[in-house]
Amino acid sequence: MKRIVHIEINQRLESNAPRDVVLEFVSKFAKTCKLIQGSIINSFDDPFLSEHVQTVKICEINDEAPQCLEANDVDLCYHVYTLDPYGSQLETMDGEGDKEVPFALHCILPTTEFAGLWESLVYDSAIKENLLNFVETTLLFSDSGVDMNIIKWNRVVLLHGPPGTGKTSLCKALAQKLAIRLGHRYTHGEFIEINSHSLFSKWFSESGKLVTKMFSKIQEYIENPNALVCVLIDEVESLTHARKSALAGTEPSDSIRVVNAVLTQIDQIQRYRNVLVLATSNVTGAIDTAFVDRADIKQYIGPPSPFAIYKIFLSCIEELQRTGIITSNDSLMNLKLLQLSSSESTEGTKNNLTKNSLFLLNIARKSEGLSGRSLRKIPFLAHSYYIQKQTTSLEEFLEAMEKTVLKQLQDQKFSFGGVPHKNSGCNCVG
């Protein structure tokens, strides 16, 4: 069985060419060029492609080291899409006294707002691929007419873990990726991000009714069979706080009505094939067990390992090289080649490529304990603290990054009264 290679074609917004025509031209182009994993092609000799195509992305080849594949050796799966330029809009509904209540942010997918987000998320495990496979299985079972009373699935994903590890970003990236990959099935995607904490705390006395009304608004989108609807419930513990606390008298009884309303609405919308509920939580123990039980996937997202941190830093440095802020043309090794090189060579024979790559790996090891959100800030802070000029060399920038990491860890230690926690066995990051 041949390997499947996905080719994502970003058609220009101003292009009016039919998608099947664009696909035909890209198909011919792909059969004559080298397919390298993760590569993004944005320059074309063909006038038609230059006029109508923004980028062609070769993706979902899981090997660490870049591979060059022949088109005849793989099955090519093409996806043509156009990015919506308008971004998120505030959704409101009628509240108490006919006042407008903001309850969510809404955008059309795929959107420029989430462009590149999927690629920026780095994990030690195959969590992104597993989530894509999960959705593919839900569609297969639904299309095949599998009886949900016999085999149960709810189209609910729960991502949990400490703050700053990329849970919300992963939900957005997954929704964007699904809108692209399922473009042959749906005309567009709808992404609805519920701010559950704000909704519940501000309108507490009417919260149960508002939750029901909110899902009624969402169901208007779900009832369009041509739309893939992804509903994100951020900080889901705010809406699904464990009912045992209320029964014990430690939480107001209104929280029971809220949880019951959420569970009832999720049970109602699960019969639709075109909806996916994504939830995040920083405090999993506070979530009602009935909601946790409804989640098909319960994935812990924790701090990154040093090897994942290396890949995050590598992507940041490559971006600064692309923009010319780091002027050195010297490249850094991907993780697999670095591990192979460091095991085969002695210190005296290592070249600058290997030395710089090992230096970055050493910085990554020192960064253990920082969240994914903090790690993405390190290059910016390094330039702000120690560079402060338009261009710099790779070696100078790596030294600045090392100083910045040590400073961040020291500041965190004194600011929060303790040493940053180490990665306690988790194998995925965001």
Side-chain angles (χ1 to χ4, degrees):
M1 183 176 180
K2 291 183 179 179
R3 170 183 291 180
I4 297 177
V5 176
H6 294 272
I7 298 183
E8 297 176 357
I9 306 158
N10 180 6
Q11 186 173 351
R12 293 184 183 275
L13 182 62
E14 63 274 14
S15 170
N16 57 3
R19 288 193 173 185
D20 56 345
V21 176
V22 173
L23 191 152
E24 181 182 351
F25 274 83
V26 174
S27 176
K28 293 178 181 177
F29 169 76
K31 292 175 181 177
T32 62
C33 70
K34 295 180 179 179
L35 304 177
I36 302 175
Q37 73 164 61
S39 61
I40 300 177
I41 305 167
N42 53 20
S43 178
F44 310 94
D45 295 329
D46 187 290
F48 179 88
L49 293 178
S50 297
E51 180 181 356
H52 296 281
V53 175
Q54 187 78 36
T55 59
V56 173
K57 183 184 299 181
I58 317 298
C59 47
E60 296 313 317
I61 305 174
N62 295 323
D63 299 300
E64 285 284 349
Q67 279 196 18
C68 181
L69 300 175
E70 296 293 336
N72 293 332
D73 297 332
V74 295
D75 284 331
L76 300 180
C77 188
Y78 296 92
H79 311 277
V80 183
Y81 66 96
T82 301
L83 292 173
D84 182 87
Y86 297 108
S88 298
Q89 307 294 323
L90 190 64
E91 285 282 333
T92 61
M93 62 184 176
D94 294 334
E96 188 177 9
D98 292 331
K99 292 182 180 179
E100 290 292 305
V101 179
F103 70 91
L105 291 173
H106 167 253
C107 66
I108 303 296
L109 298 176
T111 173
T112 54
E113 188 176 338
F114 299 163
L117 189 56
W118 180 266
E119 291 74 21
S120 73
L121 296 170
V122 178
Y123 296 88
D124 293 304
S125 64
I127 176 174
K128 294 194 291 186
E129 292 78 6
N130 291 341
L131 289 173
L132 286 176
N133 293 338
F134 160 74
V135 175
E136 184 177 326
T137 298
T138 66
L139 292 173
L140 173 63
F141 276 42
S142 296
D143 292 344
S144 301
V146 175
D147 190 339
M148 294 184 68
N149 293 315
I150 299 175
I151 298 179
K152 197 69 176 174
W153 70 96
N154 296 307
R155 301 184 180 89
V156 178
V157 174
L158 173 61
L159 304 181
H160 61 97
T165 51
K167 301 181 294 296
T168 302
S169 295
L170 178 55
C171 290
K172 294 177 179 179
L174 175 63
Q176 174 95 337
K177 182 64 71 172
L178 290 173
I180 293 172
R181 293 289 177 86
L182 299 177
H184 63 283
R185 188 184 185 104
Y186 303 106
T187 59
H188 66 286
E190 306 273 5
F191 184 77
I192 303 168
E193 180 181 359
I194 299 170
N195 189 332
S196 55
H197 179 75
S198 173
L199 178 73
F200 186 56
S201 61
K202 188 174 182 179
W203 306 99
F204 180 77
S205 62
E206 292 291 315
S207 53
K209 296 178 182 177
L210 285 172
V211 166
T212 301
K213 188 177 291 187
M214 174 185 68
F215 274 97
S216 296
K217 295 279 289 184
I218 293 173
Q219 189 156 333
E220 295 176 9
Y221 293 107
I222 297 173
E223 288 175 349
N224 178 5
N226 296 319
L228 172 67
V229 182
C230 295
V231 180
L232 168 59
I233 310 177
D234 215 7
E235 299 182 9
V236 70
E237 65 271 10
S238 298
L239 285 182
T240 58
H241 199 76
R243 286 173 290 183
K244 63 182 180 181
S245 299
L247 294 173
T250 58
E251 292 288 341
S253 60
D254 193 58
S255 65
I256 296 180
R257 291 191 287 271
V258 172
V259 177
N260 289 339
V262 171
L263 297 176
T264 299
Q265 295 302 315
I266 288 178
D267 289 342
Q268 287 182 0
I269 65 176
Q270 72 174 2
R271 68 179 185 271
Y272 293 92
R273 299 181 182 182
N274 63 325
V275 63
L276 178 66
V277 177
L278 305 166
T280 70
S281 176
N282 299 329
V283 193
T284 316
I287 304 175
D288 192 89
T289 54
F291 179 85
V292 175
D293 188 55
R294 280 166 171 78
D296 302 307
I297 292 180
K298 295 171 276 287
Q299 176 67 52
Y300 176 73
I301 308 292
S305 72
F307 298 118
I309 296 173
Y310 178 88
K311 291 191 282 187
I312 292 173
F313 283 161
L314 178 59
S315 69
C316 294
I317 289 173
E318 289 175 343
E319 176 62 15
L320 292 178
Q321 288 178 320
R322 184 190 70 81
T323 56
I325 294 176
I326 295 180
T327 57
S328 307
N329 293 325
D330 298 336
S331 59
L332 292 166
M333 294 182 181
N334 68 68
L335 190 58
K336 180 173 285 189
L337 291 178
L338 174 59
Q339 292 171 322
L340 180 63
S341 174
S342 59
S343 64
E344 290 183 348
S345 58
T346 62
E347 188 64 35
T349 61
K350 291 173 183 172
N351 55 28
N352 287 335
L353 171 63
T354 307
K355 288 180 179 178
N356 287 333
S357 301
L358 288 173
F359 186 19
L360 182 61
L361 181 58
N362 185 50
I363 297 172
R365 288 183 172 129
K366 292 179 180 179
S367 304
E368 191 176 7
L370 294 176
S371 69
R373 182 182 297 146
S374 298
L375 292 168
R376 291 284 179 186
K377 295 178 183 177
I378 293 295
F380 172 83
L381 294 175
H383 190 281
S384 175
Y385 290 152
Y386 304 109
I387 304 297
Q388 298 178 349
K389 55 185 179 181
Q390 288 189 335
T391 60
T392 182
S393 67
L394 176 59
E395 290 79 5
E396 184 180 21
F397 194 79
L398 289 175
E399 292 174 359
M401 283 184 63
E402 182 181 39
K403 293 177 183 177
T404 303
V405 167
L406 296 176
K407 177 176 172 29
Q408 288 293 99
L409 292 172
Q410 189 73 4
D411 290 347
Q412 186 167 308
K413 177 180 178 180
F414 285 107
S415 297
F416 301 101
V419 179
H421 65 276
K422 294 291 184 180
N423 182 352
S424 57
C426 109
N427 62 355
C428 48
V429 312

